[in-house]
Each structure stands twice: as structure tokens, then as C-alpha cells.
Amino acid sequence: MILGFWNRVQLPSNVKLVLPTLFLVFALASCNTNTTSGKLVSLNESTKALPKVIDFTFDVKPIISDRCFKCHGPDKNAIEGGLSLNTPEDAYKALGKSQDHFAIVPNNTQKSTLIERIYSEDPNLKMPPPESNLELTEYEKAILQKWIEQGAEYKAHWAFIPPTQPQVPMSTANWGSNEIDNFVLAKLNQNGITPSEKASKEKLIRRISFDLTGLPPSVSQIQNFLSDTSEKAYENLIDTLLTTDDHAEHMAAEWMDISRYADTHGYQDDFERIMWPWRDWVIHAFKNNMPYDQFVTYQLAGDLLPNANLEQILATGFNRNHKITGEAGVIPEEYRTEYVADRTNTLGTAFLGLTLECARCHDHKYDPISQEEHFEFFSFFNTIPEEGLMPSLDAIPVPYITISEKETKSVLEFVNLQKSTLKEVPVMVMKEMEEPRKSYILDRGAYDRPTKEVFPDTPESILPYSESFPKNRLGLAQWLFDADNPLTARVAVNRLWQRMFGNGIVGTSNDFGNQGALPTHPELLDFLAIKFREEGWNIDQMLKYIALSETYQQSTDVTAELLQKDPENKLLARAPRLRLSAEMIRDQALALSGLLNKELGGPSVKPYQPEGIWEETTGGGGGSTAAYIQSTGKDLYRKSLYTFWKRTVPPPSMLTFDASSRDICTVKRQETNTPLQALVLLNDPQLIEASRVLALKAFSTNQQSTTTQIKYIFQRATSRLPNASELASLSTYYEEMLNQIKGKEVNPEDYLAIGAFEVPTTIDKEKLAALALTSHTILNLDETISRG
């Protein structure tokens, strides 16, 4: 569908003649952004040596959670054969009518029917049963057998045990800048691997610039960093980047996914909403490096703080970013229940790393969270005076506050009201009802089937709710940041690690439960979690600490040995090579060309988008979202953070590059490589316009030498100068394009007219068009759309 959208872009037909050439040369490179770390076929598991001591957490739990818990897990309503493997008490108990056999008898595999069943070939006895489409490998069977032989010891799920200060491994190697490296090096040594060499300074400044600001370094920044030979050069660079508006906006961009921010309500009619002042607050919070505990508390319960001010109340807009319907014929209570459920699920994903939604209809099948506990969480968010249905197009869902110029001159100075066409703007927030609404367990999760009444509380398996905490959202925030809460700090630092390395120490950053990935470096995760908590939940300080590690500063180069031993780079023997996010690809092009409008905050804008998409998908409601009216002037070139986000039709080019739909809380985007991505890079008017404006800048600065012009563009795009081979290839391509232009195969006037930026009439348009096509090619390079 996206391909169809982009085919509607009205490029001149003679320009399109060039695109197949570009596509053949560069499209595959653009899509294949991680060729150096592709997976190899792993060795047959049955040939691997069993661990000397079987560890329940790392060896056994992943097997039984994945293969057994559906029928023999925590959900007491789904237990088959009376057997639950969730706890040792349940796993060891007698089974059958006569209570004469046992699934697990510690130290005795002969009496453990689990062993008999997993090795059985009888389809009526075999476990997992054939109809489940699950199967145990010979290696996994051997693990379970040896575990029982060694006593079948159970351990509580690692993520529900509060982190304790681990002993930092000693290192005698001449490698490492801080404790992170000690933990990483110890793991590398265990696997017979050595760290990679340090990345070049050109690579390092590009990497840290993208990771901290979402933008490439300027040529002057690169030159200053290369010429600075002091020991503090890199640290000083980090400190500078962390103080920029770009850093605050880059951090906010990720929070938009987590908060499911959008500029429309969603559902079929998808009316416009005003929530951008809350986005301005998020930028403000990151700009001031607000401690994470305060940042989260304001958003969960700012309105409940003593003498809450307007900023704290505005922050609670986080809880109102869910979809809201205005469609006639719906049942209001059904949808109001969905809004509360969304806030509950967002709490679980964003702050606990748990799939709370799985316990809405029944006890969680994999984690020790009951349906009752799910609705106890639910009850924290069920006491605001909201309606399930907006009464009209112009209605503002209550509760809300109104922000006018008066407020922006005092407590809300960070709200960019000047960009708004309105004198005052309404923003949805949280507010408690005078008489709290009762909450119930909903049978099968259905809004109209209440059963037992429940009250605000939290699962014992995570952390009992203290009697000293108020039974409201403020108490919930206090519970989250209690020193004994095992999840909050781990989940937060794991996401910061993910920002810097592409993957978290726990690969499933949305799921720290039994079905989630195990931490690759558990001691390091606990070390960072405790450090983060004890040093004041300081986000920028943690990012700097990670960036200063030798682990982060390694080269991305990979050897055949590394590919064989660690194809997914879980041991961190090298730095990951990552494709830029959807926002960074567009913002980079604007920044390189000089088009980027760096105004801070304000309402969302509407950059280039294929015509007709909104019109085809809009329901009968009409309003401001019935048709897409493109922005003009400098608003065309604002950062992607400010792009108008319509839930039913998110920006198509950003979706192609795996941006979240913003329907639900998303803490990690999927990563794909498809031809559609190359086609967007080749056809998006924004990228074509940026390419020609970048070429114009090179042309105007270096009029006498095409070689110098190409070097100028290449260095801006990749943060390094091209080598002789690269320069020769690009120079040859430039000559080919110039010949096509002179031969009337490409009309330079039409090509240079793409986009709103006007080319000076006095310039040599044939040469500029050829250089612009070369510039576009450079912006399509894998190295340009990646951070290494």
C-alpha cells in the first residue's frame, strides 16, 4: 500500500528515467543495513555440552515457560492434568486420582513422570503433545533430565528479585574505562573472545551525535573534535551534546512512542486533538534533565501532588494519550473501560516491562499476575470523570485544562503558544472524581460483566503495596520508585542501554516476565540499575556513563570468528551498526542541506505527503482531518518530532521505516529491511529537495571543482572524506548524469523544481542537476542512513 502512495508523487516523467539507475546501484545497499552482522546457522543443539551445574533461571525456566506454561503454568484456570510447573510446591505434588505418581521427584529421574513423558514416542503420552505444535530438542530434554538429577532446584523469576550490588569483576587487561567494561570483558574472556579496537574519531563523533541528538555532526564539529588531542576531548563532546535542544527533542521523540502520542483521537472519524503542549513539557523535562522518578511521577500523578501547579497537572496528559471515540452508536461504558485498560497496559509496558494485558481475561498464563491483580492495577486509573464517547466534533474530552498567554508567561514558559492560531488551547489531563468510581473484576474482561469488587493494590510477586502509600496514582508512583521494587530501575536503564546499543541487556524491553529474554549480562544490569537509582535517577549521567565505556567506543568491524561465535553480538565484542530511525533519516537530510528549522515546540506541522491519502481513509466525520493541507514556508522543514500524527493514517514514509503507529505503548520498534525503504529514499520529495539544496550549497561554495563539491557532500553525509575509489565512482556517476541531462533524457528545470525551495536563476542548472542527482545518491548510501 505504501508503494502505491509513493507512486502518486508527481515527479516529472523524464526524472523517473534516472531512478531505475539509482535503484540498481544503491537500493539494495540502502535496504541491507546490517550485512556485517548477519546470522550464521548455529550448531546442532544436541551436540552442545551440557552445563556442569544446571541453573534453573538460565537453563530450565526458558524451556518450561515456552513449552509447558500454556497448560502447566500460573493460570489456575488453565491447568491440565492437575499439574502446574510454576512453583516447586505445585511441581513436586502427587498427581492422579490415587495420588500415586509425581511429575518431578528431585534427584530421581526414574520416578519423575515428566522425564518419561518428554521422551515418549506415544502421541497419547508425549509432552508437549503433538497437537500443540511445540517440541523439545534432545538438548532441552537432557537439560531437564540433568536438572532433576541435580535436585530440581527452583528459583524465583530473576526479574522479581530486587537487584543486589554485584561484585565488579577484576580486570588485568589494558582495556576498559569504567565498570561496564569489567563486566563485558569478563563475559568475553569466558567465551575466548577479545574486544574490538576503538572506532576512529570520525566514526565516534557520528555515533555519539546520532545517539544523543538524532542528528549528524557538522563539518566544523568533526574538525574541532579531530584537532582536539586532549584526554577530555570525547567527554567534553558528550557534555556539549547533552546540553542541546537537539538532545531534549531526540529523547522526547522516543517518549512519543512510549506515551502513544498522536494529534488525533483515533478510531474511524479520527478527529483532531490538541496535546502538543504536553509534548512541549516532555521536551522541557528532558532539556532540564528532570530526574526519572520525578519525570514519571509528574506524568502518572502530577495532579495529586500537594499544591499541584499547572506544570505538574499538564504532565498528566501522558495518561490521556490513548484513543478516544466520537462515533455514534457505540456504547460509552465499553469504550471508557478500554481507555482505563489502555492506561493500565501502558503502565505495565513502560515502567514494569510486563504484559499486564495478558491478565485481563484470566490469570496470566506465564507470569504470576492474577486477573484480580490486573484489575487492582486497573482501579488506580478508573477514578477520573471521563466519558466513553465525545458528544461532538468540537467537544473536548474532560477533564482538561486551558492554557492561555497568561500561563505561558509564568509557570508554563516552555509552551510555544506563539505558533498556535488559537489564543488559548485545551489539553486533556487527569483529575480525580469527587466520589471515586468502584472497580470490579470483569468476567472475561468484558465491560458489562462485573464480578468481585477490587481496590488499588499491586502483585505480591513484584512488591507488596505499602500501607504508607495512598491508594491512588500518587501511591502507585511511590510504589514504582520504592527501593525494593525489582523492576522500575532495571526496565529504565535497559531502555537507555537499548538507545545506545540498539538492543537492551534484556532483548525484550517490553517483557521482563517469564516469556521475555534473559539478560545477556545480568550482573551488569543490576549494577546499572542500582547506580541509576542511588545517583538520583539521572538520565543524562547514565547516558554519559554508557558512552564513556570502551564497550560503546568499539569499532563495528566484524571478523569471521566473531560471526561464528557471536553472530548477534550479544557478548558485545564490537559496536553494533544500526540503521537510523525514520525521524533521523529525514532530519539528517534536512540538517545536511541546511533546510532544518530548529524552532522548539509548538503545534504539529504537515510536511510533504502523497496526495489523497487522508481523503481516501477519512470516515464520515469530516473536520480538520478530512483532507491533508500541507504546511508552507519554514514549517515544511521542522523536525520530524513535530510532524502531525493522524492515528488512522500515520506519515507513510515514517511507517515504511518502522515508526510506531502510536496506537499502543511501544518501547522498541521492529527493524525491517524492505525494497519499500529504498523506494522512499529515492522518491520522497523531501529527500530529493534536500539533495538538491545540499548540492546547491556545495556548488556555491566550491564552484571551480566538481571533485571538491562531491567531497563536500560526502563528508557532510558520512562524517568522513571519500577514499579514492569512492570518489572515482561518484565522479563517474556525476559525468553520466550530466551526459543524460545534456542529451535531454532528464530535464534539469523539472528536477530542480521538486520541493518548495527555489533555485537561483543565475546558476548553471545542468551542472547543478547532475550534482543534485549525485548528492541524492550519496544520501541513499547505506553508510549515510546508518550509524556505525
Side-chain angles (χ1 to χ4, degrees):
M1 184 172 70
I2 298 297
L3 178 58
F5 291 164
W6 283 108
N7 280 341
R8 297 180 199 165
V9 177
Q10 297 300 305
L11 296 180
S13 59
N14 50 3
V15 172
K16 290 186 178 180
L17 291 172
V18 180
L19 298 183
T21 304
L22 278 169
F23 187 83
L24 288 172
V25 176
F26 294 104
L28 291 179
S30 298
C31 292
N32 187 11
T33 63
N34 201 22
T35 55
T36 59
S37 59
K39 293 183 181 179
L40 297 180
V41 177
S42 60
L43 296 175
N44 189 321
E45 278 196 315
S46 64
T47 67
K48 295 197 300 187
L50 294 177
K52 289 183 180 179
V53 177
I54 304 299
D55 183 277
F56 177 78
T57 299
F58 289 91
D59 300 321
V60 176
K61 188 71 168 287
I63 299 173
I64 62 173
S65 175
D66 190 48
R67 310 300 206 290
C68 310
F69 270 14
K70 185 176 181 180
C71 299
H72 305 291
D75 184 358
K76 60 180 180 292
N77 296 314
I79 292 175
E80 298 286 345
L83 172 64
S84 171
L85 297 174
N86 183 47
T87 66
E89 295 79 14
D90 289 336
Y92 300 160
K93 73 179 185 180
L95 300 172
K97 291 182 180 179
S98 302
Q99 301 284 286
D100 58 353
H101 63 277
F102 302 83
I104 296 175
V105 179
N107 305 113
N108 193 329
T109 56
Q110 296 298 317
K111 291 185 178 180
S112 299
T113 56
L114 181 146
I115 300 300
E116 175 188 350
R117 301 291 288 272
I118 65 174
Y119 279 103
S120 175
E121 295 300 325
D122 185 340
N124 296 315
L125 296 176
K126 185 178 181 180
M127 287 291 165
E131 61 269 20
S132 71
N133 294 318
L134 299 172
E135 191 171 350
L136 292 170
T137 67
E138 293 303 312
Y139 177 82
E140 290 167 337
K141 293 175 185 177
I143 285 284
L144 295 176
Q145 181 172 337
K146 189 170 183 178
W147 172 61
I148 292 175
E149 289 172 352
Q150 293 182 346
E153 179 187 5
Y154 268 77
K155 294 180 182 177
H157 184 57
W158 70 270
F160 297 158
I161 302 172
T164 55
Q165 189 65 256
Q167 183 175 353
V168 179
M170 296 293 294
S171 174
T172 57
N174 187 26
W175 186 83
S177 300
N178 58 33
E179 292 88 346
I180 289 174
D181 302 317
N182 292 59
F183 286 104
V184 171
L185 185 62
K187 183 79 72 170
L188 293 176
N189 289 339
Q190 291 172 14
N191 289 271
I193 300 174
T194 57
S196 297
E197 62 182 13
K198 196 170 187 174
S200 67
K201 293 188 77 172
E202 293 94 337
K203 293 287 187 184
L204 199 54
I205 187 173
R206 179 175 171 83
R207 179 186 305 171
I208 193 64
S209 294
F210 273 119
D211 286 351
L212 294 187
T213 72
L215 293 173
S218 66
V219 172
S220 60
Q221 284 177 313
I222 296 170
Q223 292 171 344
N224 290 338
F225 183 56
L226 293 179
S227 62
D228 188 347
T229 58
S230 67
E231 291 185 1
K232 292 281 189 177
Y234 178 54
E235 184 176 354
N236 292 338
L237 172 64
I238 294 171
D239 289 337
T240 299
L241 295 174
L242 287 172
T243 62
T244 61
D245 290 345
D246 295 319
H247 169 63
E249 290 173 312
H250 186 45
M251 297 294 291
E254 180 183 64
W255 201 253
M256 296 304 102
D257 280 4
I258 294 170
S259 67
R260 67 265 190 254
Y261 173 90
D263 295 293
T264 62
H265 288 305
Y267 296 107
Q268 183 177 352
D269 289 335
D270 210 8
F271 299 137
E272 185 172 358
R273 66 167 52 162
I274 294 177
M275 288 299 289
W276 59 261
W278 173 81
R279 181 178 60 197
D280 283 3
W281 174 82
V282 173
I283 298 168
H284 163 75
F286 281 120
K287 174 69 176 174
N288 289 279
N289 193 25
M290 183 180 285
Y292 183 69
D293 57 343
Q294 182 181 337
F295 179 67
V296 172
T297 298
Y298 276 22
Q299 292 180 87
L300 284 181
D303 59 307
L304 297 176
L305 290 167
N307 302 312
N309 61 33
L310 206 55
E311 176 188 347
Q312 294 164 335
I313 295 171
L314 173 61
T316 66
F318 171 85
N319 286 303
R320 303 296 304 286
N321 277 324
H322 52 76
K323 297 192 293 183
I324 297 175
T325 189
E327 298 165 22
V330 306
I331 301 172
E333 180 60 16
E334 179 180 10
Y335 279 81
R336 193 199 64 79
T337 300
E338 293 306 313
Y339 308 158
V340 181
D342 179 279
R343 293 194 281 270
T344 306
N345 298 341
T346 298
L347 166 79
T349 303
F351 308 121
L352 297 172
L354 294 177
T355 54
L356 296 183
E357 62 270 26
C358 294
R360 176 174 173 174
C361 301
H362 47 69
D363 292 349
H364 205 299
K365 292 188 180 298
Y366 302 102
D367 294 328
I369 301 171
S370 68
Q371 187 185 23
E372 181 171 349
E373 289 168 331
H374 170 92
F375 282 101
E376 288 170 345
F377 269 131
F378 179 98
S379 66
F380 281 106
F381 300 102
N382 195 32
T383 56
I384 70 167
E386 65 183 332
E387 302 291 335
L389 174 66
M390 290 190 300
S392 68
L393 168 63
D394 299 322
I396 304 162
V398 294
Y400 66 90
I401 58 172
T402 301
I403 300 173
S404 66
E405 186 177 355
K406 178 182 176 181
E407 285 79 31
T408 61
K409 289 183 176 179
S410 55
V411 69
L412 301 182
E413 290 180 326
F414 51 82
V415 175
N416 187 354
L417 192 62
Q418 289 70 33
K419 286 289 294 182
S420 176
T421 58
L422 302 174
K423 291 185 178 180
E424 57 181 31
V425 294
V427 185
M428 293 184 293
V429 294
M430 296 290 278
K431 180 183 179 181
E432 289 293 286
M433 301 172 68
E434 292 184 8
E435 182 68 31
R437 183 185 289 109
K438 291 184 178 182
S439 295
Y440 302 89
I441 298 174
L442 301 179
D443 185 27
R444 302 302 299 171
Y447 77 96
D448 58 350
R449 298 175 67 180
T451 58
K452 177 184 175 183
E453 184 177 1
V454 292
F455 302 91
D457 207 348
T458 54
E460 295 270 339
S461 58
I462 301 174
L463 177 68
Y465 198 83
S466 172
E467 293 183 0
S468 65
F469 297 155
K471 294 276 187 170
N472 57 24
R473 288 176 282 111
L474 182 57
L476 180 62
Q478 293 170 348
W479 174 83
L480 276 177
F481 291 97
D482 186 285
D484 291 327
N485 191 304
L487 289 168
T488 309
R490 280 179 173 139
V491 169
V493 296
N494 189 68
R495 220 164 38 230
L496 294 177
W497 188 274
Q498 175 180 280
R499 166 179 285 273
M500 304 294 276
F501 287 91
N503 282 305
I505 295 173
V506 177
T508 51
S509 50
N510 67 315
D511 189 0
F512 276 52
N514 285 306
Q515 286 292 92
L518 290 168
T520 56
H521 298 75
E523 295 85 5
L524 173 58
L525 179 63
D526 284 2
F527 176 85
L528 293 175
I530 293 171
K531 180 181 178 67
F532 188 46
R533 186 186 70 214
E534 293 185 350
E535 295 182 358
W537 303 94
N538 191 316
I539 295 172
D540 285 356
Q541 185 171 298
M542 179 56 65
L543 289 172
K544 177 179 177 179
Y545 183 72
I546 294 171
L548 285 174
S549 69
E550 294 288 342
T551 303
Y552 176 81
Q553 297 177 59
Q554 293 177 102
S555 165
T556 59
D557 293 343
V558 59
T559 63
E561 179 188 13
L562 272 183
L563 273 180
Q564 183 176 9
K565 288 186 175 181
D566 187 20
E568 297 182 57
N569 196 32
K570 291 183 177 180
L571 300 177
L572 300 171
R574 55 188 168 88
R577 191 161 172 270
L578 307 171
R579 191 193 67 206
L580 302 182
S581 70
E583 293 90 340
M584 286 191 278
I585 288 174
R586 177 178 175 273
D587 293 350
Q588 172 184 237
L590 293 173
L592 295 177
S593 65
L595 287 171
L596 184 63
N597 174 8
K598 299 183 77 169
E599 182 178 2
L600 196 68
S604 296
V605 295
K606 300 183 177 75
Y608 301 116
Q609 178 171 293
E611 295 180 3
I613 304 175
W614 281 20
E615 290 82 348
E616 286 188 15
T617 58
T618 297
S624 61
T625 58
Y628 188 85
I629 301 175
Q630 184 175 293
S631 295
T632 58
K634 291 184 178 180
D635 281 350
L636 270 176
Y637 310 119
R638 297 206 69 196
K639 282 189 177 179
S640 300
L641 169 66
Y642 303 109
T643 296
F644 191 96
W645 206 276
K646 184 177 180 181
R647 286 191 200 271
T648 52
V649 192
S653 62
M654 294 177 70
L655 278 190
T656 303
F657 281 97
D658 304 324
S660 164
S661 68
R662 308 269 180 88
D663 281 341
I664 59 173
C665 172
T666 302
V667 293
K668 185 180 181 182
R669 295 179 179 181
Q670 65 173 346
E671 299 171 10
T672 65
N673 290 322
T674 74
L676 292 179
Q677 292 163 359
L679 289 171
V680 168
L681 291 173
L682 291 166
N683 289 277
D684 190 336
Q686 187 72 87
L687 293 172
I688 295 174
E689 180 182 34
S691 299
R692 66 180 180 81
V693 176
L694 175 57
L696 177 63
K697 183 176 290 189
F699 196 85
S700 302
T701 307
N702 309 281
Q703 292 187 31
Q704 304 304 316
S705 170
T706 302
T707 299
T708 306
Q709 293 165 0
I710 292 173
K711 285 182 178 180
Y712 175 89
I713 295 169
F714 191 94
Q715 185 179 28
R716 289 183 70 84
T718 67
S719 303
R720 67 175 179 86
L721 289 169
N723 59 38
S725 175
E726 292 165 336
L727 185 59
S729 295
L730 290 168
S731 297
T732 299
Y733 181 77
Y734 169 85
E735 294 297 334
E736 290 175 355
M737 293 302 99
L738 186 59
N739 289 336
Q740 285 194 32
I741 292 168
K742 290 181 180 296
K744 309 300 182 183
E745 296 178 62
V746 176
N747 185 327
E749 295 278 353
D750 289 341
Y751 182 75
L752 296 176
I754 297 171
F757 188 90
E758 295 183 1
V759 175
T761 57
T762 56
I763 204 118
D764 186 330
K765 293 187 178 179
E766 289 187 345
K767 289 184 178 180
L768 178 60
L771 189 61
L773 287 163
T774 307
S775 174
H776 193 193
T777 298
I778 292 171
L779 291 189
N780 270 263
L781 291 174
D782 178 59
E783 186 174 354
T784 305
I785 64 167
S786 302
R787 141 282 194 243

